[in-house]
Amino acid sequence: MGDDEAGLWARVRLGDELALAGLFDRYEGRLFRHASRLLTHREDAKDAVTVAFFELWRKRASVRLVDGSPLPWLLNTVAHCARNLERSGRRYRALLDRAPVAEPVSHEQDDSDVMAALKRLPEREQSVVVLSVLEGFSEREVAQALGIPAGTVKSRLARAKAKLRDDLAREGVQA
């Protein structure tokens, strides 16, 4: 965490809204790309990032930092928001599909096979894969961000990789 980032975080902890805007400017692009990988619609990705920053502000006194940075916490929160938005979107689309006056709506998926397989993992394993593989955090940093032992990170990552490998093999995709 740079001095500028440390200063911003200290000001956020004290309730400075402009400092929160500074953190938003710093991380918004990366968080949006992360949410876009997990969601079908661009607007949902924007919403996931907005909710994550709202939660950062709301929970600023208890946010777990990794090497002094709230980024891993934000990445994990965006992933949770993305799952919730995707789930509620599926429920809404199912409701529309059952409505007698509604025309069937095409919901094309443009996810790659790998991202689709990732989305099928249990949430706990998905979080570990996203933070360690997609975002490049070390096992220690992932453990710290998720509040779990490093050994648990290793076992969840190994289990997730095996599931992904098997899932992709069934789909005929070379991993």
Side-chain angles (χ1 to χ4, degrees), residues 8 11-12 15-25 57:
L8 285 173
R11 289 176 34 218
V12 166
D16 184 342
E17 294 171 6
L18 290 176
L20 180 68
L23 285 177
F24 181 87
D25 291 343
W57 178 257

Side-chain angles (χ1 to χ4, degrees), residues 83-134:
R83 278 188 293 276
N84 289 340
L85 288 166
E86 196 70 23
R87 193 178 314 121
S88 66
R90 279 192 307 269
R91 283 193 303 263
Y92 180 70
R93 286 187 300 272
L95 178 64
L96 286 177
D97 289 342
R98 288 193 310 263
V101 293
E103 290 292 319
V105 179
S106 171
H107 301 290
E108 293 181 25
Q109 286 286 60
D110 59 6
D111 291 334
S112 70
D113 292 331
V114 175
M115 290 309 293
L118 177 64
K119 290 178 184 180
R120 288 190 292 267
L121 285 175
E123 182 178 326
R124 293 158 40 135
E125 292 172 5
Q126 194 179 98
S127 295
V128 170
V129 171
V130 166
L131 289 174
S132 63
V133 177
L134 297 180

Side-chain angles (χ1 to χ4, degrees), residues 62-77:
S62 63
V63 167
R64 279 194 198 115
L65 302 180
V66 175
D67 292 334
S69 174
L71 181 60
W73 186 93
L74 283 164
L75 287 164
N76 198 40
T77 303

Side-chain angles (χ1 to χ4, degrees), residues 64 66 72 76 121-162 164:
R64 279 194 198 115
V66 175
N76 198 40
L121 285 175
E123 182 178 326
R124 293 158 40 135
E125 292 172 5
Q126 194 179 98
S127 295
V128 170
V129 171
V130 166
L131 289 174
S132 63
V133 177
L134 297 180
E135 292 298 331
F137 287 98
S138 71
E139 289 173 353
R140 180 190 61 78
E141 292 169 326
V142 173
Q144 188 178 357
L146 298 176
I148 58 176
T152 302
V153 170
K154 287 182 182 184
S155 63
R156 285 184 188 173
L157 188 57
R159 200 167 35 250
K161 284 180 178 180
L164 287 170

